[in-house]
Amino acid sequence: MFIHPVQAATTTATPVLQTVTACGDDVPLKFDVLPAANASPPYAAMIVVHGGSWLGGSRTDLHGLLQQLSRMGFVAMSVDYRLAPAARFPAQIEDVKCAVRWLRSHAVEYQIDPEKIGAFGVSAGAHLLALAAVTPGKWENTGGYAGISSQLRCAVLHAPPLDFVDWWKTADPAIRSSMSPRVMLKSLLGEDFSASAKIYQDASPVSYIPASGKLKNKLPSLLLLQGELDATVPVQQARDFTKKMKAAGAAVELMTIADADHFAFGSQGRQVSAKIQEFLGACLK
């Protein structure tokens, strides 16, 4: 099982994890909710979205991160979403947005401030959160909880693919492993880029960034974490996305890690953890 480097072992007692079933028009999804520890209501909340190339992974992969977020005083929830190739895009973004709506609809039950919901995504999960951040009002009609906002206050994005068109074009077509961008994208989207360029654009967060200075809606604050040695998602994607978002007027920060790959934080684990806590503290406290 993949253990995210932000996760830390602990012997501190934590609240009891609750598993709920929600969303999903045909097959309901499961969410794991961990109440806040060491804090007083109303609480801020954090939604955790796993990676796995949109093909695998589970809400259980980041339970250590849930515990850490709970100890920081957040109600923490990890979510499942439908996986490719059985479910093609946009099923995954529909599910993530529904998860936000579900949590906001249960704000009273969990003593959450509905205006203070943030998120943490890893790889494919970070892509889905980036897409959610830049598409307010889109992909809201499945899973239930109609009329409830899926807007996040902020999100931490670790190694997100942000431009599927560029990712396809720059990928080595000779690589056919499960970590090949072309293998992942075709499984998620159902087509080669040459057969359906539009769906690659539709699934790319970078496609929704408005022209410089023309941001119409306030978007969530974003913290991007990207290893410069990432052989799966080029660091240039994060740099280009950050530059365009800032030009549009959005609040975005990029932290690159010189010796980190796609899966870890290299020698900068403590610095990254401190940065995440600073960012979430400013956004949600």
Side-chain angles (χ1 to χ4, degrees):
M1 181 180 71
F2 170 64
I3 303 297
H4 194 267
V6 165
Q7 299 180 134
T10 177
T11 57
T12 304
T14 58
V16 177
L17 189 75
Q18 307 166 17
T19 298
V20 299
T21 301
C23 296
D25 289 335
D26 299 317
V27 180
L29 305 171
K30 290 190 180 297
F31 307 147
D32 288 341
V33 183
L34 191 63
N38 308 316
S40 300
Y43 307 108
M46 283 290 292
I47 295 174
V48 176
V49 187
H50 69 82
S53 308
W54 306 275
L55 305 171
S58 164
R59 71 188 188 283
T60 65
D61 291 350
L62 297 175
H63 275 182
L65 180 55
L66 286 191
Q67 292 180 11
Q68 187 172 354
L69 291 168
S70 172
R71 294 196 304 274
M72 291 170 63
F74 299 113
V75 172
M77 181 175 87
S78 60
V79 304
D80 278 341
Y81 52 87
R82 285 170 287 175
L83 299 175
R88 304 290 192 185
F89 180 86
Q92 296 75 21
I93 184 63
E94 291 172 347
D95 292 346
V96 168
K97 287 200 170 191
C98 186
V100 181
R101 296 197 306 273
W102 179 88
L103 184 59
R104 183 166 277 119
S105 75
H106 288 74
V108 173
E109 177 182 348
Y110 290 102
Q111 298 181 280
I112 294 167
D113 181 341
E115 299 304 313
K116 292 185 177 181
I117 299 178
F120 193 118
V122 179
S123 191
H127 157 261
L128 295 172
L129 289 176
L131 192 59
V134 296
T135 58
K138 189 176 177 66
W139 294 308
E140 299 284 5
N141 298 322
T142 62
Y145 315 101
I148 297 174
S149 172
S150 66
Q151 183 83 339
L152 295 165
R153 182 77 167 263
C154 55
V156 179
L157 311 176
H158 179 202
L162 298 162
D163 185 341
F164 282 4
V165 175
D166 178 75
W167 207 28
W168 177 277
K169 289 181 177 180
T170 58
D172 184 349
I175 299 175
R176 307 303 299 170
S177 71
S178 61
M179 292 301 291
S180 161
R182 292 195 174 192
V183 170
M184 289 187 274
L185 289 172
K186 187 173 181 179
S187 295
L188 176 66
L189 305 178
E191 302 280 358
D192 285 352
F193 174 71
S194 59
S196 184
K198 185 178 185 304
I199 194 170
Y200 280 71
Q201 295 169 342
D202 288 346
S204 298
V206 72
S207 299
Y208 298 91
I209 302 175
S212 179
K214 295 188 177 181
L215 190 66
K216 294 181 180 179
N217 301 305
K218 180 176 174 59
L219 299 182
S221 301
L222 300 178
L223 171 62
L224 277 66
L225 308 171
Q226 183 68 48
E228 295 185 19
L229 301 182
D230 192 331
T232 302
V233 179
V235 65
Q236 194 60 42
Q237 291 220 354
R239 289 173 174 150
D240 291 344
F241 180 85
T242 300
K243 181 178 180 180
K244 290 177 181 179
M245 286 284 279
K246 285 184 175 181
V252 182
E253 185 174 357
L254 170 62
M255 181 178 185
T256 59
I257 307 115
D259 61 347
D261 59 14
H262 187 65
F263 301 102
F265 295 138
S267 63
Q268 302 299 302
R270 290 186 178 181
Q271 292 89 331
V272 173
S273 292
K275 185 63 183 178
I276 292 170
Q277 292 186 55
E278 176 189 0
F279 174 77
L280 294 179
C283 172
L284 295 174
K285 295 297 187 179

